[in-house]
Amino acid sequence: MPASVADSDRIVAQFEVRYRQFLDEEGSPLAPLPDFCRDVDLMLSIYRGMHLARAFDAKCVNLQRTGRLGTFATSLGQEAIAVGVASAMRASDILVPSYREAGAQIWRGCRMEELLLYWGGDERGHAFADPAVTQDFPISITVANHALHAAGVAAAMKLKAEDRAAVCLFGDGATSKGDVYEAINVAGVWQLPLIFMIVNNQWAISTPLERQTAALTLAQKGIAGGLSVLQVDGNDVIAVRDAMMEALDAARRGAGASLIEGVTYRLNDHNTADDSSRYRNLEEVKARWRFCPLRRMRAFLESRAAWSEKRELAMQAEIASLIDSAADRYLATAPPLPDQMFAHTYARLPAGLMAQRVEALGRAHE
Amino acid sequence: MPASVADSDRIVAQFEVRYRQFLDEEGSPLAPLPDFCRDVDLMLSIYRGMHLARAFDAKCVNLQRTGRLGTFATSLGQEAIAVGVASAMRASDILVPSYREAGAQIWRGCRMEELLLYWGGDERGHAFADPAVTQDFPISITVANHALHAAGVAAAMKLKAEDRAAVCLFGDGATSKGDVYEAINVAGVWQLPLIFMIVNNQWAISTPLERQTAALTLAQKGIAGGLSVLQVDGNDVIAVRDAMMEALDAARRGAGASLIEGVTYRLNDHNTADDSSRYRNLEEVKARWRFCPLRRMRAFLESRAAWSEKRELAMQAEIASLIDSAADRYLATAPPLPDQMFAHTYARLPAGLMAQRVEALGRAHE
Amino acid sequence: MSELTLVQAVNLALRRALEDDPSVVVFGQDVGRHGGVFRATEGLQQHFGSRRVLDTPLAETMIGGLAIGMAAQGLKPVCEIQFLGFLYPVLDNLANHAARMRTRTQGRIACPMVLRVTHGGGVHAPEHHSESIESMIAHIPGLRVVIPSSPRKAYGLLLAAIRDPDPVVFLEPTRLYRLLKENVEDSGQSWPLDRCDVLKEGSDLTLVSWGAMLTEVMEAAGVLAERGISAEIVDLITLKPYDAETILRSVQKTGRCVIVHEAARTAGFGAEIAATLAEHAMTALLAPVERVTGYDVVMPLPRLEREYMPSVARILKACRRALAWK
Amino acid sequence: MSELTLVQAVNLALRRALEDDPSVVVFGQDVGRHGGVFRATEGLQQHFGSRRVLDTPLAETMIGGLAIGMAAQGLKPVCEIQFLGFLYPVLDNLANHAARMRTRTQGRIACPMVLRVTHGGGVHAPEHHSESIESMIAHIPGLRVVIPSSPRKAYGLLLAAIRDPDPVVFLEPTRLYRLLKENVEDSGQSWPLDRCDVLKEGSDLTLVSWGAMLTEVMEAAGVLAERGISAEIVDLITLKPYDAETILRSVQKTGRCVIVHEAARTAGFGAEIAATLAEHAMTALLAPVERVTGYDVVMPLPRLEREYMPSVARILKACRRALAWK
Ligand SMILES: Cc1ncc(C[n+]2csc(CCOP(=O)(O)OP(=O)(O)O)c2C)c(N)n1
Ligand SMILES: Cc1ncc(C[n+]2csc(CCOP(=O)(O)OP(=O)(O)O)c2C)c(N)n1
Ligand SMILES: [Mg+2]
Ligand SMILES: [Mg+2]
């Protein structure tokens, strides 16, 4: 920024982007911790939530590799954002996720067998049964569209004067789409109770961040809509949760929308159909493991004497058995009936579709 | 901006928006003027260009009111942006205008009878005959789409390593559309030789700026894409031209794209089909006349003893006669033949369309 | 009961819906203080306040996206896109989300929204203001597409659309906005969706059309009547889901069918109707089906738009061909 | 001459076009270093450099918009949209600008661009990755819409599309990408646009289809042949402008026609073909036209996609109905 301003020019607006981090890679505090860190049970459940996310992710990849699941988008390395976000929300808030936030969805109440069913290619996986999540949005495969849906959700909350907020997650790549910008803009001008969390994992399939945008930070995308913006260490679950709590609080107070950029890294391929060695250096990936959010949190818990190898093993066993039984339930689910295509196309099947349905069902019984 | 930064936070990016103005409303310099102001002929032709724009605008409104032109979007009060922009460009640069920049189009070489023909409802008005503008884009009625076309034009220039730039104008309302943002973003990351000029006339039909966005300035929209941004007094043609020259120079130097917000005011209705008294206070409009760009420039020229009432009258007469003969040529243009619909749908008429053409032409001769 | 134009009938229906159902929210560009570029929403914000009737920023994708989110939260968004030429960016949200939200969540989340858009040309409007792309929209499973042809229908159909639990694209023929007045009772009575309306019974020939083109179709039928030919006129009303029964019944009777629409011919909705006849009325057809449509060219600017749009003369020519067939 | 899959043939054609014409520029998401999510552009950036083969930011509207600007400046943009479900946002630029630039400037500015998009389902892809909305695109005047059904055609048609002076939407059937290999000579020879290809001559029945569905159609024809029935198979190839002549000629001969497509039935492109037959082949038709199509429901997720798509059994049923008609 040049220091001098020509006579003809005067400064009419100034902005800054701040970066928030509490724990360094080794789990040592860099600053006084937020109050919620004193709640050891919470800290432990957050740690467990991240592990659950990671183990579920591994299970999905495994099921896909063995032909029992469709293409799956893994979230390895991004667990702190998922859990940091979900743990800061209330059940009455609404999650509007992309396709890489199983950790957040599970935290909020989506059943793992539901998510498996969805990725297994069955719409029933989106019929979330748990009352806590019946209003949460389905996984959004289309990049960025859901940012505007989240704005609509938040607009409804605001028009109904409810004490709730919407939370929308999307990737670094998504920030290039106009949908995200239009959502940012309307969130600003309508002062919506809405938090955008950009999951900046540095890659959009094969496209690295520097080919996505010339913006210095992704947080500054929010400046275009007059939002409160912040960048956080997305591998520091405490920072993520803290930033979210602040933003949610502002949203509920009527202070409007926020945009948070969580800086993290996609440690795995884009999805199970991808081979990232085609475009990404393995050394780069290896180096990023040092910032693993689980490792960091474990070190932190251990430094507080709240954790041990024994508890770690017990937790992993507990998680594995949970996931295995979810997978069993998924695998035992009866295959969908062809009628499923017709049942919910409209609230009531139109006459013309009835004939088609008859044809389809007849065919199925051929 | 809060002065203190919490321990957990550090500032990672800072931005500012500057506002540029050389002449006050009375035409008095507020700062040392750019060099080009010493070129009196240039100053006079810029002044004339603004008058021509205004007189042409009035003629269009008049033709519309008397049933000889279609719906027309007037540019009353916005002449400094049109002429400031066009006068800074080279013929080899490309103008990608919206629908309210007749002043810029005429400056560059579009014939007034062509523009009349277009607004009169005839595609031939877009077949610009002057070699200086054969590559300029047609008027864009769809708000914002053309921002991406301009980016494409600039990308072509860059890929071909040409010493040219594209200039795209659009309104305050257009900045809410994702197209503009996507254009900003790609202009940034591809370092395109492209200048976006936002014609902030405070209104998008009935929607005032404050219901369009919560951004403090429109210039800051460019921060989202990492562009150089600037706000200028859009009624100060010297400031507009100066900002454009700087931006064009940067574009040609390979220093990338700029976004300039020209702050002006729409003194007339949105278009000839609109009645702005339904939504806008007449007092507000009256107060804005004080900032009229023509008045300001005239005062400036008079203060330099470069102008007089006599010259003013002579210029107005000359302009009026030019416009009248353009209007005469427009009104004398033979009506379009039905074949015009078919002639350029494809480079070569496909077989199926030939039959339709025969039907249409037969019908015309019925 | 009062004499209303079509656009006034739209206004009345919106007013009624806002009155009756607190979940109805009207929004779009310039629909608030201004009352809409065609005055369809005139006075609504003044009466119902700016929490029920909202001006939006200028962004069509956003309007569609907001509606989906609002609908998911139990509101009934009724939004306006000023012209059909600006609907394209909304197709993404319509096809990928609005139309499939119910099925992709297996009924957990629905999308009861109405998107009002002006339709068609013939009013000397600027470029992009005269489109008729109804067949593109009608191809999308999960949507409803409705187009009224009179003030009374506009009132009843708009109420039906708003009350429908699924997303509806509601096309308003710009050319009819102020063309005719009709007695419209503010009865709160909706007009059935998914059913054609036989505007005029006849025995010699079936004319099928929708929206503003029915003006020319009626006129053509009048000319035919003078010549002693009795044309049955079917107003399609709903393009999706569409009522093939009524058209088939009519053609079973008349044996001849002329379909008239303003949209370009190829893959226009006339193709669907002609296809239905080819599938289900072969034995009844006494003459080849005729389509009188806009040409497969870009909708021209105003000076040539009348040359583009089906004229009474072109309709009559097609009728003559159909009637001449032995 | 080498044995290539369809996606390899696409790659070869791109390579050839980049080689032959310095104005060709290939761009899209992940087409550069990665070589495209389906490897259609594999090796191109390595060979031609990143001024000819460019990765874009993730924004479909932008891809379409850039192409228009580039084309106006004399480049030949050949861009990729990864899946047809992501094409919706591009329709705005396609319909409002690409398709009409030539006519709205009366020939001053043209828009020679090619938009490559994968088409169709049946490959167990995620949501939104299996769409077939070709009829929506084919409704737009000023565009060309092309869909190859074999590696050789893919090569020749893509070259033709790139050399064509108008905007072309080039649909690549995902299911065929790696299904079959064919000898493809890198001759630089283009395949004619706007013309159907009669894949197999026959006398009893005409089967019309395009893209991946031809697989089932061929199989059905094989079954029919075993039963002594001779089916003629027409590969539509170009949906816009479309070659009605060849289909009419075939149906004049066979008197029976079954149209097969994966897209939803209502206002699918099958309707246009059936309509053409209803208009111009009435006297030749010995049986009602049959359409075997996807249902008017949202394309289901993978587990049910085979139930959605026309099967050989459904095609045979329709053929039986058509053949049974006396
Ligand atoms: C609109 C749209 N375009 C393209 C795709 C194909 N696609 C799937 S994921 C992806 C990259 C997304 O990158 P980012 O937003 O950074 O999210 P991430 O995958 O890294 O979580 C692309 C291009 C899509 N799903 N939707
Ligand atoms: C995509 C699109 N949406 C809506 C319209 C209708 N419309 C025409 S001008 C206008 C307002 C534009 O405002 P702004 O961008 O500020 O430009 P101004 O008219 O003030 O020059 C609107 C909504 C349009 N032409 N295009
Ligand atoms: Mg990413
Ligand atoms: Mg404006």
Side-chain angles (χ1 to χ4, degrees):
Chain A
M1 197 166 295
S4 78
V5 177
D7 287 347
S8 58
D9 293 2
R10 60 195 163 84
I11 295 168
V12 288
Q14 282 180 304
F15 309 95
E16 62 180 34
V17 176
R18 297 177 184 205
Y19 178 85
R20 183 167 301 172
Q21 181 182 5
F22 286 100
L23 299 182
D24 71 10
E25 304 92 81
E26 307 305 332
S28 310
L30 296 165
L33 297 180
D35 285 351
F36 64 75
C37 292
R38 280 192 231 129
D39 181 343
V40 177
D41 286 346
L42 174 67
M43 290 293 100
L44 292 177
S45 75
I46 283 176
Y47 180 60
R48 178 181 173 281
M50 294 198 292
H51 261 289
L52 183 60
R54 181 163 293 187
F56 179 71
D57 196 75
K59 184 68 171 191
C60 290
V61 172
N62 180 275
L63 286 168
Q64 193 281 334
R65 298 277 185 243
T66 52
R68 293 173 295 169
L69 201 74
T71 304
F72 174 75
T74 95
S75 57
L76 190 67
Q78 306 179 192
E79 299 85 357
I81 294 184
V83 174
V85 164
S87 75
M89 292 172 66
R90 296 186 190 155
S92 59
D93 296 330
I94 301 281
L95 181 73
V96 186
S98 84
Y99 43 79
R100 220 185 276 287
E101 280 97 29
Q105 293 184 295
I106 296 168
W107 180 284
R108 283 183 56 74
C110 291
R111 300 186 179 153
M112 287 185 278
E113 57 267 37
E114 289 172 339
L115 298 178
L116 288 167
L117 204 53
Y118 174 74
W119 290 110
D122 190 328
E123 285 81 358
R124 287 175 295 172
H126 267 159
F128 306 154
D130 192 305
V133 288
T134 42
Q135 292 182 40
D136 274 9
F137 261 57
I139 285 166
S140 179
I141 295 290
T142 56
V143 168
N145 288 165
H146 63 301
L148 282 164
H149 308 162
V153 166
M157 291 167 169
K158 169 140 189 169
L159 292 174
K160 295 192 275 181
E162 293 172 345
D163 185 26
R164 304 160 69 203
V167 175
C168 181
L169 294 98
F170 46 80
D172 43 299
T175 65
S176 294
K177 279 211 47 136
D179 298 59
V180 162
Y181 166 72
E182 292 186 6
I184 287 172
N185 191 55
V186 72
V189 71
W190 284 8
Q191 293 225 327
L192 298 179
L194 174 56
I195 292 94
F196 298 111
M197 169 61 79
I198 303 176
V199 185
N200 177 3
N201 66 4
Q202 314 299 327
W203 292 91
I205 308 187
S206 76
T207 308
L209 186 58
E210 71 268 20
R211 278 211 294 282
Q212 201 67 248
T213 188
L216 219 58
T217 66
L218 295 178
Q220 79 203 54
K221 304 272 173 186
I223 294 174
L227 302 194
S228 305
V229 305
L230 183 70
Q231 198 181 51
V232 302
D233 182 335
N235 288 356
D236 175 359
V237 71
I238 293 173
V240 173
R241 187 181 148 94
D242 182 66
M244 279 299 298
M245 303 262 293
E246 188 180 311
L248 281 163
D249 187 55
R252 295 208 180 86
R253 268 199 339 267
S258 301
L259 182 145
I260 305 169
E261 174 190 359
V263 181
T264 181
Y265 191 83
R266 194 192 83 203
L267 288 171
N268 209 331
D269 294 332
H270 169 68
N271 62 25
T272 52
D274 181 42
D275 169 10
S276 60
S277 72
R278 288 174 59 84
Y279 54 79
R280 188 167 77 163
N281 202 314
L282 245 154
E283 293 310 307
E284 175 186 319
V285 182
K286 256 195 213 144
R288 292 294 188 140
W289 271 97
R290 193 158 74 86
F291 302 94
C292 166
L294 275 62
R295 180 173 166 275
R296 186 182 309 195
M297 192 61 181
R298 180 173 178 175
F300 171 72
L301 291 174
E302 283 174 351
S303 77
R304 305 270 147 149
W307 202 241
S308 65
E309 180 66 16
K310 200 176 136 206
R311 292 186 70 173
E312 177 89 9
L313 290 174
M315 180 191 72
Q316 287 184 356
E318 177 251 343
I319 284 174
S321 104
L322 262 185
I323 289 175
D324 283 344
S325 45
D328 289 345
R329 281 192 297 278
Y330 157 62
L331 293 168
T333 307
L337 298 174
D339 195 26
Q340 189 167 305
M341 288 190 274
F342 293 91
H344 297 289
T345 298
Y346 296 91
R348 273 191 25 230
L349 202 68
L353 262 179
M354 267 182 219
Q356 294 186 22
R357 176 171 171 271
V358 167
E359 188 190 346
L361 302 200
R363 171 200 182 193
H365 302 146
E366 255 171 63
Chain B
M1 197 167 293
S4 78
V5 177
D7 288 346
S8 58
D9 294 3
R10 60 195 163 85
I11 295 169
V12 288
Q14 282 180 305
F15 310 95
E16 61 181 33
V17 176
R18 297 177 184 206
Y19 179 84
R20 182 167 302 173
Q21 181 182 7
F22 286 100
L23 299 182
D24 72 11
E25 305 92 81
E26 307 306 330
S28 309
L30 296 165
L33 297 180
D35 285 350
F36 64 74
C37 292
R38 281 193 229 126
D39 181 343
V40 177
D41 287 346
L42 174 66
M43 289 294 100
L44 291 177
S45 74
I46 283 177
Y47 181 60
R48 178 181 172 281
M50 294 199 291
H51 262 289
L52 183 61
R54 181 163 295 186
F56 178 72
D57 196 75
K59 184 68 172 190
C60 290
V61 172
N62 180 276
L63 286 168
Q64 192 281 333
R65 298 276 186 244
T66 52
R68 293 173 296 169
L69 201 74
T71 304
F72 175 75
T74 95
S75 57
L76 190 67
Q78 306 179 193
E79 298 86 356
I81 294 183
V83 174
V85 165
S87 76
M89 292 172 66
R90 295 186 190 156
S92 59
D93 296 330
I94 300 282
L95 181 73
V96 186
S98 84
Y99 43 79
R100 219 185 276 288
E101 280 98 28
Q105 294 184 293
I106 296 168
W107 180 283
R108 284 183 55 75
C110 290
R111 298 185 180 154
M112 288 185 280
E113 57 267 37
E114 289 172 339
L115 298 178
L116 288 167
L117 205 54
Y118 174 74
W119 291 109
D122 190 328
E123 285 80 359
R124 287 175 296 172
H126 266 159
F128 306 153
D130 192 305
V133 288
T134 40
Q135 292 183 41
D136 275 9
F137 261 56
I139 285 166
S140 178
I141 295 290
T142 54
V143 167
N145 288 165
H146 63 300
L148 282 164
H149 309 162
V153 166
M157 292 167 169
K158 169 141 188 169
L159 292 174
K160 294 191 276 179
E162 293 172 343
D163 184 27
R164 304 160 69 202
V167 175
C168 181
L169 295 98
F170 46 79
D172 43 299
T175 66
S176 295
K177 278 210 47 135
D179 298 60
V180 162
Y181 166 72
E182 292 186 5
I184 287 172
N185 190 56
V186 72
V189 71
W190 284 9
Q191 293 225 329
L192 298 179
L194 174 56
I195 292 95
F196 298 111
M197 168 61 79
I198 302 177
V199 185
N200 177 3
N201 65 4
Q202 315 298 328
W203 292 89
I205 308 186
S206 76
T207 308
L209 186 57
E210 71 266 20
R211 278 210 294 280
Q212 200 68 247
T213 188
L216 219 58
T217 66
L218 295 178
Q220 79 204 52
K221 305 271 175 186
I223 294 173
L227 302 194
S228 306
V229 305
L230 183 71
Q231 198 182 51
V232 300
D233 182 335
N235 288 356
D236 174 358
V237 72
I238 293 173
V240 173
R241 187 182 148 94
D242 181 67
M244 279 298 299
M245 303 262 294
E246 188 180 312
L248 281 163
D249 186 55
R252 294 208 182 85
R253 268 201 338 267
S258 301
L259 182 144
I260 305 170
E261 173 191 359
V263 182
T264 181
Y265 191 83
R266 193 192 83 203
L267 289 171
N268 209 331
D269 294 332
H270 169 69
N271 62 24
T272 53
D274 180 44
D275 170 9
S276 61
S277 73
R278 288 174 59 86
Y279 55 78
R280 187 167 77 163
N281 202 314
L282 245 154
E283 293 310 306
E284 173 186 319
V285 182
K286 256 195 215 145
R288 291 292 187 141
W289 271 97
R290 194 158 75 85
F291 302 93
C292 166
L294 276 62
R295 181 173 164 273
R296 185 181 310 194
M297 192 63 179
R298 179 173 177 174
F300 171 72
L301 292 174
E302 282 174 353
S303 76
R304 307 268 147 148
W307 203 240
S308 65
E309 180 66 15
K310 203 177 128 200
R311 292 185 71 173
E312 176 90 10
L313 290 174
M315 180 192 73
Q316 287 185 356
E318 177 251 342
I319 283 174
S321 105
L322 263 184
I323 289 175
D324 284 344
S325 44
D328 289 345
R329 282 193 296 279
Y330 157 62
L331 293 169
T333 307
L337 298 174
D339 196 27
Q340 188 168 306
M341 288 189 275
F342 294 91
H344 298 289
T345 298
Y346 296 91
R348 273 189 27 228
L349 202 67
L353 262 179
M354 267 184 221
Q356 295 187 21
R357 176 170 171 271
V358 167
E359 188 190 348
L361 303 199
R363 172 201 182 194
H365 301 145
E366 252 170 64
Chain C
M1 190 108 104
S2 48
E3 288 276 312
L4 299 184
T5 59
L6 197 150
V7 70
Q8 288 168 333
V10 165
N11 186 276
L12 189 67
L14 291 172
R15 199 175 284 270
R16 163 60 71 143
L18 282 160
E19 197 81 63
D20 290 356
D21 182 351
S23 70
V24 170
V25 181
V26 169
F27 61 95
Q29 293 159 24
D30 306 297
V31 301
R33 180 146 178 215
H34 186 36
V37 285
F38 284 105
R39 319 262 158 106
T41 56
E42 183 155 28
L44 298 182
Q45 189 182 68
Q46 286 78 349
H47 193 265
F48 295 97
S50 50
R51 285 177 160 266
R52 305 286 309 280
V53 182
L54 296 86
D55 281 320
T56 64
L58 203 174
E60 282 77 12
T61 306
M62 181 205 70
I63 290 174
L66 285 176
I68 290 165
M70 289 180 174
Q73 278 296 303
L75 295 183
K76 285 250 179 175
V78 181
C79 40
E80 176 177 308
I81 298 293
Q82 294 184 342
F83 294 92
L84 202 50
F86 311 141
L87 184 78
Y88 293 106
V90 193
L91 289 175
D92 190 15
N93 268 313
L94 280 177
N96 274 334
H97 300 285
R100 57 204 295 168
M101 190 57 89
R102 183 186 292 282
T103 195
R104 66 197 290 262
T105 62
Q106 290 291 293
R108 184 172 60 85
I109 303 182
C111 194
M113 61 180 269
V114 177
L115 202 71
R116 297 177 39 247
V117 204
T118 55
H119 174 274
V123 294
H124 295 280
E127 216 172 344
H128 308 286
H129 286 61
S130 303
E131 324 304 298
S132 44
I133 55 164
E134 62 273 16
S135 73
M136 290 174 73
I137 316 168
H139 185 51
I140 302 170
L143 288 188
R144 290 179 182 277
V145 182
V146 178
I147 182 165
S149 64
S150 75
R152 239 189 328 254
K153 280 181 189 158
Y155 175 84
L157 288 166
L158 184 49
L159 283 181
I162 294 173
R163 291 169 190 166
D164 191 83
D166 289 307
V168 183
V169 175
F170 193 82
L171 302 170
E172 300 175 2
T174 320
R175 189 151 63 97
L176 299 184
Y177 260 166
R178 298 188 169 85
L179 194 68
L180 288 172
K181 291 196 168 194
E182 213 177 33
N183 266 320
V184 182
E185 198 191 341
D186 187 12
S187 60
Q189 193 75 39
S190 63
W191 188 289
L193 300 174
D194 311 350
R195 226 184 292 156
C196 293
D197 183 35
V198 177
L199 285 185
K200 174 182 167 306
E201 306 228 352
S203 52
D204 297 332
L205 171 86
T206 301
L207 286 161
V208 182
S209 193
W210 51 93
M213 278 318 306
L214 281 163
T215 314
E216 281 72 25
V217 166
M218 296 284 275
E219 197 180 324
V223 175
L224 290 174
E226 282 168 24
R227 299 181 193 162
I229 296 156
S230 154
E232 178 145 311
I233 303 179
V234 180
D235 178 0
L236 193 61
I237 294 184
T238 312
L239 283 83
K240 179 94 172 188
Y242 111 95
D243 170 17
E245 297 313 314
T246 302
I247 295 171
L248 285 171
R249 212 175 312 122
S250 177
V251 176
Q252 299 290 359
K253 179 171 66 174
T254 63
R256 300 170 205 270
C257 185
V258 176
I259 304 158
V260 183
H261 63 68
E262 199 174 314
R265 165 180 302 247
T266 301
F269 203 76
E272 179 58 36
I273 296 168
T276 306
L277 294 174
E279 290 170 321
H280 300 295
M282 195 185 85
T283 49
L285 280 171
L286 303 172
V289 177
E290 294 275 345
R291 282 186 286 169
V292 184
T293 70
Y295 302 112
D296 284 315
V297 302
V298 172
M299 176 77 186
L301 290 183
R303 286 226 192 156
L304 282 178
E305 65 178 344
R306 286 288 173 176
E307 299 294 330
Y308 167 88
M309 290 165 64
S311 62
V312 173
R314 275 179 72 203
I315 297 168
L316 285 172
K317 244 192 198 168
C319 292
R320 248 177 275 139
R321 277 194 303 268
L323 290 162
W325 199 275
K326 289 273 138 49
Chain D
M1 188 107 102
S2 46
E3 288 278 311
L4 299 184
T5 60
L6 197 150
V7 70
Q8 288 168 333
V10 165
N11 185 276
L12 189 67
L14 291 172
R15 198 174 284 270
R16 163 61 70 144
L18 282 159
E19 198 80 64
D20 289 355
D21 181 351
S23 70
V24 170
V25 181
V26 169
F27 61 95
Q29 293 159 24
D30 306 297
V31 301
R33 179 148 180 213
H34 186 36
V37 285
F38 283 104
R39 320 261 159 108
T41 56
E42 183 155 28
L44 299 182
Q45 188 181 67
Q46 286 78 348
H47 193 264
F48 296 96
S50 51
R51 284 176 162 265
R52 306 287 308 281
V53 183
L54 296 86
D55 281 319
T56 64
L58 203 174
E60 283 76 14
T61 306
M62 182 206 69
I63 291 174
L66 285 176
I68 291 165
M70 290 180 175
Q73 278 296 302
L75 295 183
K76 285 251 178 175
V78 181
C79 39
E80 175 177 308
I81 298 292
Q82 293 183 342
F83 294 93
L84 203 49
F86 312 140
L87 183 79
Y88 294 105
V90 193
L91 289 175
D92 190 15
N93 268 313
L94 280 177
N96 275 334
H97 301 285
R100 58 204 293 168
M101 189 57 89
R102 183 185 291 282
T103 194
R104 66 196 292 261
T105 62
Q106 290 291 293
R108 184 171 61 85
I109 303 182
C111 194
M113 61 181 270
V114 177
L115 202 70
R116 297 177 40 247
V117 204
T118 55
H119 174 274
V123 294
H124 294 280
E127 217 171 345
H128 309 284
H129 286 60
S130 303
E131 324 304 298
S132 44
I133 56 164
E134 62 272 17
S135 74
M136 291 174 73
I137 314 168
H139 185 51
I140 302 170
L143 289 187
R144 289 179 183 277
V145 182
V146 178
I147 182 165
S149 63
S150 74
R152 238 188 331 253
K153 279 181 189 158
Y155 175 83
L157 288 166
L158 184 49
L159 283 182
I162 294 172
R163 291 168 190 167
D164 192 82
D166 290 307
V168 183
V169 175
F170 193 82
L171 302 170
E172 300 174 2
T174 320
R175 188 151 64 96
L176 299 184
Y177 260 167
R178 300 189 167 84
L179 194 67
L180 287 172
K181 290 195 170 198
E182 213 177 36
N183 266 321
V184 182
E185 197 191 343
D186 187 13
S187 61
Q189 193 76 39
S190 62
W191 189 288
L193 299 174
D194 311 351
R195 227 185 290 156
C196 294
D197 183 35
V198 177
L199 284 186
K200 172 180 169 308
E201 306 228 354
S203 53
D204 297 332
L205 171 86
T206 302
L207 286 161
V208 182
S209 193
W210 52 92
M213 278 318 306
L214 282 162
T215 315
E216 281 72 25
V217 166
M218 297 283 274
E219 196 180 325
V223 175
L224 290 174
E226 282 168 24
R227 299 182 196 161
I229 296 157
S230 152
E232 178 145 314
I233 303 179
V234 180
D235 177 1
L236 194 60
I237 295 186
T238 312
L239 282 82
K240 179 94 173 186
Y242 111 95
D243 171 16
E245 297 313 312
T246 303
I247 295 172
L248 284 171
R249 212 176 312 121
S250 176
V251 176
Q252 300 289 358
K253 180 171 66 176
T254 63
R256 303 172 204 269
C257 185
V258 175
I259 305 157
V260 183
H261 63 68
E262 197 174 315
R265 166 179 302 246
T266 301
F269 203 76
E272 179 57 37
I273 296 168
T276 305
L277 295 174
E279 290 170 321
H280 300 295
M282 194 184 85
T283 49
L285 280 171
L286 303 172
V289 177
E290 294 274 346
R291 282 185 286 169
V292 185
T293 69
Y295 301 112
D296 283 316
V297 302
V298 171
M299 177 77 186
L301 290 184
R303 286 226 192 157
L304 282 179
E305 66 179 344
R306 286 288 171 175
E307 298 295 327
Y308 167 88
M309 290 165 63
S311 61
V312 174
R314 274 179 74 204
I315 296 169
L316 284 173
K317 243 193 199 169
C319 292
R320 248 177 275 139
R321 276 194 304 268
L323 290 162
W325 200 274
K326 290 271 139 43

